[in-house]
Amino acid sequence: MESNQEDQNLLEFSNYSLVFKKHGLVIVSVIAFVFGLTGLLTFTQKPIYEAKGKLLLKQSDASSLTGLNQKLGGLTGLSNASNPLDTEAEIIRSNPMVQKIIDRLKLKDNQGNPLTIGEFIAKLKVTGIRGTDVMELTYKSNNATETAVVVNTLMKTYWEDNILMNRLETTSAKEFLSKQLPQIENRLARAEAALRNFKDKNQVVSLEAEANLGVQEIKTLLSEITKEKAQLEAVKSRSIGLQNQLNLSPKQAFNLATISQSRGVQQVLTEYEKVQDDLVVTQTRLTDQHPTVKNLRRKEQALKQQIEKRVGDIIYSQESIPEKNLQIGQLKQTLTTELVQSQLNKLALTNQIRVLQNAFLIKQARLRMLPRLEQQQRALERRLQVGQTTYQQVFKQLQEMEVVEKQKVGNVRIISEALIPDTAISPKISFNLALGGFLGVLLGIGLALLLEAMDKSLKTVEEAKQLLGYPLLGSIPSLSHKEGIGSELPIRDNPYSSASAAFEMLMTNLNFTLSDKELRVILVTSSIPNEGKSFVAANLAVAKAQMGCRVLLVDADMRRPRQHEIWQLPNFVGLSNVLVGQSELTTPTQVMVGLELLTSGTIPPNPVPLINSQRMDLLIKEYAKEYDFIIIDTPPLSIAAETQILGKLVDGMLLVVRPGVVDSPAAIATKSLLEQSGQQVLGMVVNGVATEISGYYSYKGYYEKNSSGRNSKDKVKFA
C-alpha cells in the first residue's frame, strides 16, 4: 500500500513537472513582470542605510608577562551620579572629534557642500548598552559605504586618541619569535608535503587496513583459481570424451552442427538423395544413354553443386566434409552441440584463470611492499610530529606576547567593526522583492494550471493508459537533431537512434500479444489525424523486415494516404486499382530488402464499398500466403468507417496515441467505438514521447564492426 502511494505521488509530481515545463515561458513571463514591477517601485525610492559599530570600555591596566591573569575593571566616575559610558559618548560627539572625521573623510551634503557639525551629529547616534560596558555607534546616510566608513573611522580615531603614550615597544622576545615562526612553519610545511607526496606516490590510505584486506583478497583469489582449474579439468575431460565418442575434432563438430541445423542444406540434400534413388531404379530399366538417365544425372550433378555452394556459404572452410556427415541423427547432433559448447567453456575458463592469476600476482607484489612503506611512513610521521610540536610552542609564546602588548593600549577596544550594510533600512528591498517574487510565482503557477485545466488533450503516457486501458506495447521517442529530424524512417536511416530501439521493442512486444495463434496481419490506426500512425506503420514494417521476414506494407488510407510520400514513390496505381480489377496482385513495390509496399492508388470517391468487398477479404488472404507479415495503414477511427471493417479481416489492431494531439473526448469516443464493434485491439503505442520519459536511449557504438571480416567465401568440396 505504501509503495502504491509513493508511485502515485511520483506520478503526480511528474505530471506537475511536465505542466511547468510546457508552460514555462508563461510562468517565467508572469514572474518577471511582477518581480520587475515590484523592483521598479522599490528602487525608485531613495534608500537610507545604517551602519553599527561597538566599543568596549575598560580600566587601563599596564600588565606584564607575570600579570596576564589580573582582573580588568571598568571605568569609574568622579561622583556616584556620573556614568562613564555617557562621559565617553559626549567625548565622541564633541566638536573636535566630529570635525576631525569630516575633514578626514571630506564628507559633503546632498548639494555637494562640506557637511556641518550639526548635520553630522543629527545622523550620529551614540548609546550605551544597558547592563554592559559596551557602547554602540550608529550612523545613517544614503550611501551604504559611507555609513560603514564613518563609523569605523570614528571608532578608530577615538581609539587612537585614547591610546596611552606609555605603550612599550615590542619586546625582543616577540621580535625573535616573529622571525623564527616563518622558518619553523616552512619546515613544517615541507614535512607535511613530504608525507603527502609519499602517500600520493605509493597510493597509501591506511597501510594496516590495506594489509588485512590484501591477505583476505589473496585467500579469495587462491580459492577462485583452484575452483576454476577444477572446472577446467572437468571441461577438458568432457571434451576429450565427446571427441573420442564422435571421432571428430572440435572444428569438424562445429561445421557438422552448423550444417545439420541449416534448413537450406537439408532440403537440397533430401532432394539430392531422392534423385539418386530414382537414378538407381531407372538404370535397372534403361541404358546409360537413355535421355531419362542423362536427365537424372544432370539433376544429380546440379543438386550436388547446390549442396556444395550452400555448405560453403555456411562454414567458410576448405576442409572436405564426407557426404555421409551432412545428415546426422538427433543423438549425434546433440553430442556435437555439447562438444562445441565444451570447447567454448574451456576457452572461457582458461581466460578466467589467467585473469585471476594476474590479479593474484599484483596483490602479492603489493603486500610485499607494505613493510617497507610502513617504515618510510613512520619516519615521515615522526618528522611531522616534531615540527608540529615546535610550531605550536613558538606560536603559543608569540600569542602570549601579543596579548601582553594589547593590554597596554588603553581602556578602549573595538569589539565590532561596522560592516557595509547589504540592505537599506528604508525601503525594505528584500521584503519587497521577496513579496513580489512570491506573488509572481503564485500568479505564474496559477496561470499555468489554469491553462492546463483548459487543455483537454492527453499529456502523458500514464493518462493514455488510464483513459484507454489498453496494454502499452511501446513508446516512440521524439527524434533529436542528432538522430535525424526530418527523416520519417529513422529505423532505416539511423539504426542506432533511440527510435530504432523503441521500434524493435514494439515489434518484440507484438509477438507476445496473441497466445493462441501466430500474429500475421495487423492494422495500424489512431483516434484522430496527426498522431503519426503512418510513421509508426512504416518504421514497424522496416523493423520486421530487418528481422529477416518478408513484409508487406499496405496503405489502406484512401482518404489521405501518406506511405507513398514517406517512401517517395508515385501513387498512380495501388490498392484501389487492385480492388477494382485494374491491376494484378503483383503491384507491390519493393522498397528495401524483405519489404514491399502497396500504395493506396487512385483515391476513390467512396472507399467504404471497396474495403467492404469480397475482393478485399480475398486479397488479404492471398497476401497472407505470400508474405510472413502484413501491416495495413488505415484512416483514423474518428473519420472513417473502413478501419472497423478491416479490423474484422486482420489478426489484431494497433492503436497509435500521441500525447498533446489527441484529447480526452476523442480518446473516450475511440475506446467506446472499439468496444461496441468488438475489435481485437492488440494494444497501443505512444508516439512522440520525450526521450527522458520514454526510457529509450541511443545505443550507437554498442556494437562494433568486426574489422577482420571475411572478404571471400570458399566453396566446400565433397570428399
Side-chain angles (χ1 to χ4, degrees):
M1 181 65 69
E2 294 179 357
S3 178
N4 293 336
Q5 184 65 30
E6 291 178 357
D7 293 342
Q8 183 66 24
N9 294 336
L10 182 60
L11 176 59
E12 293 178 358
F13 177 79
S14 176
N15 292 339
Y16 280 119
S17 65
L18 291 176
V19 171
F20 296 153
K21 183 177 181 181
K22 179 180 179 181
H23 302 287
L25 182 59
V26 174
I27 297 176
V28 172
S29 299
V30 173
I31 294 175
F33 175 77
V34 177
F35 188 82
L37 182 60
T38 305
L40 179 62
L41 297 176
T42 300
F43 287 107
T44 51
Q45 303 180 29
K46 201 169 185 179
I48 298 176
Y49 298 92
E50 182 183 77
K52 296 181 180 180
K54 294 181 181 180
L55 292 172
L56 173 64
L57 304 180
K58 59 181 180 178
Q59 184 178 4
S60 179
D61 179 45
S63 301
S64 63
L65 284 173
T66 59
L68 290 176
N69 296 325
Q70 293 181 5
K71 183 178 180 181
L72 301 177
L75 293 175
T76 59
L78 296 177
S79 64
N80 294 332
S82 63
N83 187 343
L85 292 180
D86 293 340
T87 302
E88 297 300 320
E90 291 301 323
I91 294 175
I92 293 174
R93 285 193 292 262
S94 63
N95 292 344
M97 180 68 69
V98 171
Q99 190 62 50
K100 186 183 295 185
I101 300 301
I102 294 174
D103 296 338
R104 180 176 294 182
L105 298 178
K106 299 179 180 180
L107 299 177
K108 299 182 181 299
D109 57 14
N110 296 332
Q111 288 73 32
N113 300 320
L115 194 66
T116 63
I117 294 176
E119 292 174 341
F120 183 92
I121 294 176
K123 299 179 179 181
L124 179 65
K125 183 180 180 181
V126 182
T127 58
I129 299 178
R130 187 175 181 180
T132 67
D133 295 328
V134 177
M135 189 163 52
E136 185 179 74
L137 284 73
T138 303
Y139 187 81
K140 297 179 181 180
S141 174
N142 298 123
N143 190 325
T145 305
E146 181 182 286
T147 59
V149 171
V150 169
V151 173
N152 290 331
T153 305
L154 181 59
M155 291 192 300
K156 185 177 180 181
T157 303
Y158 172 69
W159 172 72
E160 290 174 349
D161 291 344
N162 188 265
I163 294 177
L164 300 176
M165 298 303 297
N166 61 350
R167 181 178 181 180
L168 300 177
E169 296 292 334
T170 306
T171 61
S172 58
K174 178 185 175 183
E175 293 178 349
F176 175 77
L177 292 176
S178 298
K179 293 179 181 179
Q180 291 296 319
L181 187 62
Q183 300 177 7
I184 298 174
E185 188 175 3
N186 290 335
R187 289 198 296 269
L188 177 60
R190 289 196 296 270
E192 291 175 344
L195 181 59
R196 183 174 63 253
N197 293 335
F198 167 80
K199 289 186 176 182
D200 293 341
K201 179 180 179 181
N202 296 281
Q203 299 180 353
V204 172
V205 177
S206 174
L207 292 176
E208 183 178 358
E210 184 179 356
N212 295 334
L213 181 60
V215 171
Q216 185 63 34
E217 290 177 347
I218 286 290
K219 292 181 180 180
T220 302
L221 288 172
L222 286 175
S223 176
E224 292 180 358
I225 291 173
T226 303
K227 180 180 178 181
E228 295 294 330
K229 285 184 176 179
Q231 293 181 0
L232 179 60
E233 291 300 324
V235 170
K236 288 182 178 179
S237 301
R238 175 66 175 170
S239 177
I240 294 174
L242 290 172
Q243 292 181 41
N244 294 335
Q245 186 173 1
L246 295 172
N247 195 21
L248 294 174
S249 66
K251 184 175 181 180
Q252 291 174 336
F254 176 80
N255 291 337
L256 289 181
T258 303
I259 293 172
S260 64
Q261 296 176 0
S262 174
R263 185 176 179 182
V265 172
Q266 297 302 320
Q267 288 177 348
V268 177
L269 187 60
T270 301
E271 188 174 354
Y272 174 75
E273 292 175 348
K274 183 177 181 302
V275 170
Q276 285 183 327
D277 295 337
D278 293 340
L279 179 60
V280 171
V281 172
T282 304
Q283 285 178 336
T284 61
R285 297 183 294 104
L286 304 173
T287 63
D288 292 342
Q289 301 302 321
H290 194 275
T292 302
V293 175
K294 291 182 178 181
N295 185 42
L296 288 175
R297 288 188 182 277
R298 285 193 298 269
K299 189 173 182 180
E300 177 189 20
Q301 186 63 26
L303 290 173
K304 183 176 182 180
Q305 293 176 356
Q306 181 68 10
I307 293 173
E308 291 177 353
K309 180 179 181 302
R310 292 195 177 184
V311 172
D313 292 341
I314 293 174
I315 65 175
Y316 299 93
S317 175
Q318 294 287 357
E319 183 180 357
S320 177
I321 297 178
E323 183 178 339
K324 64 180 181 179
N325 288 338
L326 293 179
Q327 281 187 328
I328 57 178
Q330 182 63 35
L331 176 59
K332 189 172 183 180
Q333 182 177 356
T334 302
L335 295 177
T336 303
T337 304
E338 291 180 0
L339 175 58
V340 174
Q341 184 61 41
S342 66
Q343 290 298 115
L344 296 176
N345 293 339
K346 182 170 68 175
L347 180 60
L349 290 172
T350 302
N351 293 334
Q352 181 68 14
I353 292 173
R354 182 170 64 255
V355 172
L356 292 174
Q357 288 176 342
N358 292 336
F360 174 81
L361 294 176
I362 293 174
K363 290 293 182 182
Q364 191 178 48
R366 178 65 177 179
L367 287 177
R368 291 175 180 173
M369 292 175 58
L370 293 183
R372 178 173 56 84
L373 295 177
E374 289 179 347
Q375 181 180 4
Q376 295 177 2
Q377 182 175 347
R378 284 194 295 269
L380 293 173
E381 289 176 345
R382 285 194 297 269
R383 290 175 57 188
L384 178 60
Q385 185 177 5
V386 171
Q388 289 175 339
T389 303
T390 305
Y391 178 82
Q392 291 174 355
Q393 292 176 350
V394 174
F395 186 78
K396 181 179 179 182
Q397 293 176 1
L398 181 59
Q399 291 293 320
E400 291 177 350
M401 295 299 102
E402 292 178 350
V403 171
V404 172
E405 181 183 10
K406 289 181 180 180
Q407 286 183 340
K408 299 177 181 296
V409 297
N411 61 347
V412 177
R413 182 161 64 95
I414 300 174
I415 61 173
S416 178
E417 290 186 348
L419 302 177
I420 298 176
D422 297 329
T423 58
I425 60 173
S426 177
K428 297 181 179 180
I429 298 177
S430 298
F431 176 80
N432 293 346
L433 294 180
L435 180 60
F438 174 77
L439 292 177
V441 171
L442 191 62
L443 291 176
I445 294 177
L447 182 58
L449 294 177
L450 178 61
L451 293 175
E452 190 66 16
M454 296 171 62
D455 185 6
K456 299 300 182 181
S457 64
L458 297 182
K459 305 169 188 66
T460 64
V461 177
E462 292 298 328
E463 288 185 11
K465 291 171 61 178
Q466 294 175 2
L467 192 59
L468 293 172
Y470 296 124
L472 179 61
L473 302 180
S475 298
I476 309 303
S478 298
L479 297 181
S480 64
H481 287 279
K482 295 181 178 179
E483 293 180 340
I485 290 180
S487 172
E488 295 194 77
L489 296 170
I491 193 170
R492 182 197 67 179
D493 300 333
N494 188 2
Y496 300 108
S497 64
S498 56
S500 298
F503 276 108
E504 291 174 1
M505 183 62 69
L506 171 60
M507 194 69 257
T508 302
N509 292 337
L510 275 173
N511 294 332
F512 297 103
T513 53
L514 297 181
S515 59
D516 55 344
K517 65 177 181 179
E518 181 183 3
L519 185 64
R520 297 287 303 278
V521 184
I522 69 170
L523 68 80
V524 180
T525 186
S526 61
S527 300
I528 61 175
N530 300 322
E531 293 192 72
K533 61 176 184 58
S534 299
F535 166 81
V536 172
N539 285 276
L540 192 61
V542 175
K544 190 67 176 179
Q546 289 177 349
M547 293 181 180
C549 300
R550 191 168 178 225
V551 183
L552 174 64
L553 175 60
V554 180
D555 191 352
D557 188 349
M558 299 183 189
R559 300 177 185 269
R560 197 174 70 175
R562 285 273 296 119
Q563 293 298 335
H564 68 281
E565 297 177 355
I566 294 176
W567 296 94
Q568 298 180 357
L569 294 174
N571 192 26
F572 303 114
V573 178
L575 177 62
S576 62
N577 304 94
V578 174
L579 292 176
V580 298
Q582 296 178 355
S583 179
E584 298 298 331
L585 297 183
T586 57
T587 301
T589 303
Q590 182 171 354
V591 293
M592 60 178 291
V593 177
L595 175 59
E596 295 182 9
L597 170 65
L598 179 61
T599 60
S600 63
T602 305
I603 297 178
N606 186 8
V608 175
L610 295 180
I611 297 298
N612 198 25
S613 63
Q614 184 69 23
R615 186 171 178 81
M616 185 66 195
D617 187 15
L618 295 176
L619 186 66
I620 293 178
K621 292 179 180 179
E622 289 296 328
Y623 282 139
K625 298 177 183 179
E626 199 172 338
Y627 297 89
D628 299 326
F629 199 78
I630 300 175
I631 300 175
I632 304 176
D633 183 9
T634 63
L637 288 163
S638 62
I639 65 173
E642 52 264 37
T643 302
Q644 300 179 59
I645 298 172
L646 284 173
K648 299 297 183 179
L649 306 180
V650 299
D651 296 333
M653 177 186 298
L654 179 63
L655 182 63
V656 179
V657 180
R658 189 180 185 97
V661 176
V662 62
D663 54 18
S664 300
I668 295 174
T670 297
K671 183 177 181 181
S672 176
L673 187 64
L674 293 175
E675 290 177 350
Q676 292 175 2
S677 60
Q679 299 292 333
Q680 174 68 32
V681 181
L682 302 174
M684 66 178 181
V685 54
V686 182
N687 186 28
V689 182
T691 305
E692 61 270 20
I693 299 177
S694 67
Y696 296 103
Y697 301 91
S698 174
Y699 53 87
K700 185 175 181 180
Y702 185 79
Y703 297 106
E704 295 182 356
K705 184 178 180 181
N706 185 3
S707 59
S708 60
R710 303 177 178 91
N711 296 323
S712 62
K713 299 180 180 179
D714 298 328
K715 294 184 177 180
V716 177
K717 302 295 184 180
F718 286 114

